[in-house]
Amino acid sequence: GAVVSQHPSWVICKSGTSVKIECRSLDFQATTMFWYRQFPKQSLMLMATSNEGSKATYEQGVEKDKFLINHASLTLSTLTVTSAHPEDSSFYICSASSQGASVTQYFGPGTRLLVL
Amino acid sequence: QKEVEQDPGPLSVPEGAIVSLNCTYSNSAFQYFMWYRQYSRKGPELLMYTYSSGNKEDGRFTAQVDKSSKYISLFIRDSQPSDSATYLCAMSEGGGNKLTFGTGTQLKVEL
């Protein structure tokens, strides 16, 4: 149980284009989803927290107009990187938590983004 | 100073060795402590979590938390090559709160 999927697993795009990444909880309802980015040999940095039906809460330094997050249902959250630039190239990972009081986050397999 | 400090390694041990992985932290409000394993180019996988101080054992893995010293450990007994991965500690102040991660320790178990 507690499986989280991400799509696509990797994507290459041209600078200036937008990329959408999907995060799905397959066997549980995720009231809260988190989006992280991870640079090589570095830890996970939280970008934003989203609760179903609410606006996402962004961490300091993360541009909300550039990284659009939608959590429209209890099983799906999307991250859209708008007007992507090479510095946005990274490993993006989502996680999901089943209840507000839960401390356990289940992570997706990640999406590797390369912006040319 | 980072909230969570973790030696990045790499740590190389022979098969069958006991591995000790550690993290220190500065935020005394942390109450939940987790260890994740991350294989290359994959998402983290939850190994263990503990609440407050104490020990927890699951198979070959033992997690220890010493809140008075702000120090947590993960021990792996009878290490296997398949244990080769990056191990991330993570902490939270409470349910529903965000996780703060260490940088991860890269472990290699050699035949």
Side-chain angles (χ1 to χ4, degrees):
Chain A
V3 178
V4 177
S5 70
Q6 275 184 248
H7 178 81
S9 57
W10 61 270
V11 58
I12 302 174
C13 70
K14 292 181 179 180
S15 184
T17 60
S18 294
V19 175
K20 180 185 283 188
I21 302 170
E22 291 186 349
C23 177
R24 294 181 184 273
S25 57
L26 299 184
D27 53 1
F28 67 100
Q29 294 186 326
T31 52
T32 306
M33 286 185 167
F34 304 83
W35 286 95
Y36 297 83
R37 64 189 296 180
Q38 186 178 33
F39 291 105
K41 299 191 177 182
Q42 294 188 25
S43 190
L44 284 77
M45 299 300 297
L46 180 65
M47 299 175 67
T49 302
S50 74
N51 291 296
E52 185 264 339
S54 303
K55 287 185 177 180
T57 301
Y58 290 80
E59 295 298 300
Q60 191 173 9
V62 178
E63 300 175 60
K64 62 180 180 180
D65 294 330
K66 181 170 183 62
F67 299 99
L68 301 179
I69 291 172
N70 183 281
H71 191 167
S73 77
L74 287 171
T75 59
L76 174 64
S77 177
T78 60
L79 167 68
T80 302
V81 182
T82 62
S83 186
H85 288 93
E87 58 265 30
D88 298 324
S89 299
S90 188
F91 192 47
Y92 292 87
I93 309 175
C94 72
S95 71
S97 179
S98 60
Q99 294 178 5
S102 173
V103 298
T104 304
Q105 294 181 25
Y106 298 96
F107 285 82
T111 296
R112 190 161 300 280
L113 170 64
L114 177 61
V115 184
L116 301 176
Chain B
Q1 183 188 7
K2 295 179 182 177
E3 267 193 304
V4 179
E5 297 277 0
Q6 185 176 8
D7 187 338
L11 177 63
S12 183
V13 301
E15 183 179 10
I18 296 175
V19 177
S20 173
L21 304 167
N22 312 292
C23 287
T24 58
Y25 62 95
S26 57
N27 184 354
S28 58
F30 286 142
Q31 296 192 76
Y32 296 87
F33 305 89
M34 282 137 279
W35 285 95
Y36 286 85
R37 177 174 64 194
Q38 185 177 24
Y39 292 110
S40 183
R41 299 175 181 266
K42 300 291 184 183
E45 169 194 2
L46 179 65
L47 283 176
M48 305 196 56
Y49 92 90
T50 54
Y51 169 72
S52 193
S53 287
N55 295 357
K56 188 172 184 178
E57 187 174 325
D58 184 1
R60 296 186 295 112
F61 298 91
T62 300
Q64 287 186 352
V65 175
D66 182 348
K67 290 191 69 179
S68 63
S69 301
K70 297 189 178 69
Y71 187 88
I72 70 170
S73 301
L74 176 70
F75 297 96
I76 306 174
R77 291 184 299 280
D78 187 26
S79 56
Q80 304 295 311
S82 58
D83 294 328
S84 299
T86 296
Y87 290 80
L88 298 148
C89 64
M91 307 176 189
S92 171
E93 293 184 13
N97 289 76
K98 66 179 184 179
L99 295 178
T100 301
F101 283 86
T103 52
T105 299
Q106 186 180 354
L107 171 67
K108 185 174 183 180
V109 181
E110 298 177 323
L111 292 168

